[in-house]
Amino acid sequence: MKYRHLGKAGIQVSELSLGSWVTFHTQSGIESVTAMMAAAYDAGVNFFDNAEGYAGGKSEEIMGAALKNLGWRRGSYLVSTKLFWGLNEGPNEQNTLNRKYLLESIDGSLRRLGLDYVDLLFCHRADPTTPIEETVWAMHNIIERGKALYWGTSEWEAEDILSAIDIAERHHLHKPVVEQPVYNLFQRHRFGPEYERVYRDRRYGSTTWSPLASGLLTGKYNKGIPADSRGAVEGLGWLQKELTDAEKLAKVSALEPIANSMGASLAQLSLAWCLQNPYVSTVLTGASRVEQVRENMKALDFVDSFTPELMNEIDRLFVAA
Ligand code: NDP
């Protein structure tokens, strides 16, 4: 495993990391979660991602229980969580980054995770109804209270990230240091030209999500939705549409001979491709069983296989002319 700095922060993250969305609790119980985290850690993964909203808080609980089982030294791993959607109804507790919600919710996340602090705390989405200044102060206060070490944004527009950094600099507050954007062969917009100011000029870090487009890029949806896959999970109807999109499936089929010629699986090619982007600090992988973790970790063997010709060949398939 190789490690990359989280942007210009002093901390380093493994090139591949492991997240818990949809999988922890919903698809995988404590035994499987513990095995997946152990397999990732044994492969050198030092970063595990979570969110308050995943499985209504149960994903944090199960990760906390697994961490307790595993008994790793706290200094050897990083845990993140994310706040925004909220677990309770009410005007101040949902879809918000207001000060009251943030300062109260972090305590719930820490309790569920069984941790004294998270290493990274993300604002899971931007909240256009709360002044960015209020959110920046609240995140600064959470860090000052020792409940998080670094903070970041997820799916924020470049302009809002720059505003948050500027406000923090003006008031000598802890700045956000990392974004959590979607990034895979199909979805590249969060590294578009407007983000150059964020990643190149401010050296912001990134922990990228859905590198396999929820499994679409493994080829497993080429013949319909397998019963034991994310595509069959109840309540994810919007995702089923994506996973059965004929145009996208045709691109995945066309990618297969390229993967074969590299000696990689489609999953391994797609994960290794994300690491070609120097602005990516870590690629957050997802898995519903330990065999997937093992296969995905081997993507590291292919990171150096991408010649400019190969990158062009892949772009010809995925980027519209
Ligand atoms: P992926 O796009 O890589 O999808 C992961 C899923 O693909 C797995 O759960 C599994 O689903 C399938 N899969 C993975 N590896 C293989 C394999 N080798 N062979 C076959 N199937 C495989 O990542 P996620 O969408 O899970 O995102 C990764 C992490 O990013 C999340 O866990 C979360 O921490 C974070 N995230 C953050 C978001 C944000 O808004 N900030 C949003 C979404 C995710 P199955 O077995 O069910 O088919």
Side-chain angles (χ1 to χ4, degrees):
M1 182 66 71
K2 288 188 183 147
Y3 299 85
R4 296 186 181 185
H5 273 274
L6 193 62
K8 70 174 174 188
I11 202 132
Q12 294 186 51
V13 281
S14 44
E15 286 188 334
L16 296 178
S17 42
L18 183 68
S20 63
W21 180 54
V22 188
T23 52
F24 284 27
H25 178 78
T26 307
Q27 292 177 288
S28 313
I30 181 66
E31 214 171 291
S32 163
V33 163
T34 307
M36 290 195 286
M37 290 178 67
Y41 187 80
D42 289 347
V45 165
N46 74 347
F47 171 43
F48 299 89
D49 182 63
N50 217 316
E52 175 196 57
Y54 293 168
K58 299 272 187 222
S59 166
E60 289 178 326
E61 275 176 16
I62 205 166
M63 186 179 279
L67 286 170
K68 203 167 162 207
N69 286 346
L70 291 158
W72 299 329
R73 196 170 43 76
R74 185 66 182 91
S76 68
Y77 64 90
L78 312 169
V79 169
S80 65
T81 197
K82 304 189 277 289
L83 300 174
F84 173 74
W85 276 290
L87 294 178
N88 299 294
E89 288 181 12
N92 296 316
E93 297 183 80
Q94 280 185 317
N95 307 336
T96 182
L97 295 175
N98 76 63
R99 176 174 179 80
K100 177 175 165 65
Y101 162 75
L102 292 172
L103 290 177
E104 291 174 354
S105 300
I106 183 61
D107 290 338
S109 287
L110 293 177
R111 195 180 58 250
R112 287 185 292 275
L113 286 162
L115 297 174
D116 297 331
Y117 61 89
V118 286
D119 300 276
L120 311 179
L121 180 62
F122 290 93
C123 295
H124 210 155
R125 289 292 180 272
D127 169 13
T129 69
T130 296
I132 292 179
E133 186 161 349
E134 178 175 333
T135 299
V136 172
W137 269 103
M139 297 303 269
H140 169 80
N141 291 144
I142 287 172
I143 292 181
E144 286 291 291
R145 293 174 189 187
K147 296 178 183 185
L149 303 185
Y150 298 89
W151 76 276
T153 52
S154 179
E155 293 289 308
W156 280 34
E157 299 299 328
E159 201 182 313
D160 292 341
I161 297 171
L162 294 172
S163 275
I165 295 173
D166 288 344
I167 290 165
E169 281 182 344
R170 208 174 320 130
H171 298 285
H172 302 288
L173 307 176
H174 290 287
K175 289 184 249 191
V177 298
V178 58
E179 161 70 5
Q180 187 166 128
V182 65
Y183 187 54
N184 58 52
L185 281 159
F186 291 113
Q187 291 168 285
R188 309 172 180 200
H189 58 287
R190 292 287 179 205
F191 287 99
E194 67 278 23
Y195 282 90
E196 283 291 301
R197 290 176 301 157
V198 173
Y199 293 113
R200 186 196 55 208
D201 301 350
R202 311 307 287 254
R203 289 179 57 214
Y204 213 58
S206 73
T207 67
T208 61
W209 60 265
S210 283
L212 302 177
S214 274
L216 179 59
L217 283 161
T218 66
K220 72 197 303 173
Y221 293 97
N222 285 4
K223 295 195 183 95
I225 298 182
D228 61 350
S229 69
R230 180 178 295 181
V233 171
E234 234 176 274
L236 294 178
W238 57 273
L239 190 59
Q240 282 169 9
K241 231 174 117 196
E242 295 272 308
L243 295 171
T244 50
D245 181 282
E247 210 174 298
K248 286 188 173 153
L249 289 170
K251 290 180 180 180
V252 176
S253 296
L255 189 64
E256 198 154 8
I258 301 179
N260 288 342
S261 70
M262 292 167 73
S265 67
L266 276 168
Q268 290 162 343
L269 179 160
S270 303
L271 293 169
W273 176 87
C274 296
L275 285 165
Q276 304 311 303
N277 183 335
Y279 296 148
V280 169
S281 316
T282 180
V283 174
L284 273 167
T285 65
S288 65
R289 58 204 82 155
V290 71
E291 297 74 29
Q292 292 174 353
V293 175
R294 296 208 182 99
E295 177 184 339
N296 295 347
M297 291 299 133
K298 292 202 194 101
L300 295 168
D301 296 347
F302 302 98
V303 175
D304 296 331
S305 310
F306 288 80
T307 58
E309 294 73 32
L310 179 59
M311 289 299 273
N312 285 336
E313 198 182 342
I314 294 172
D315 280 351
R316 274 198 296 278
L317 283 180
F318 283 85
V319 184

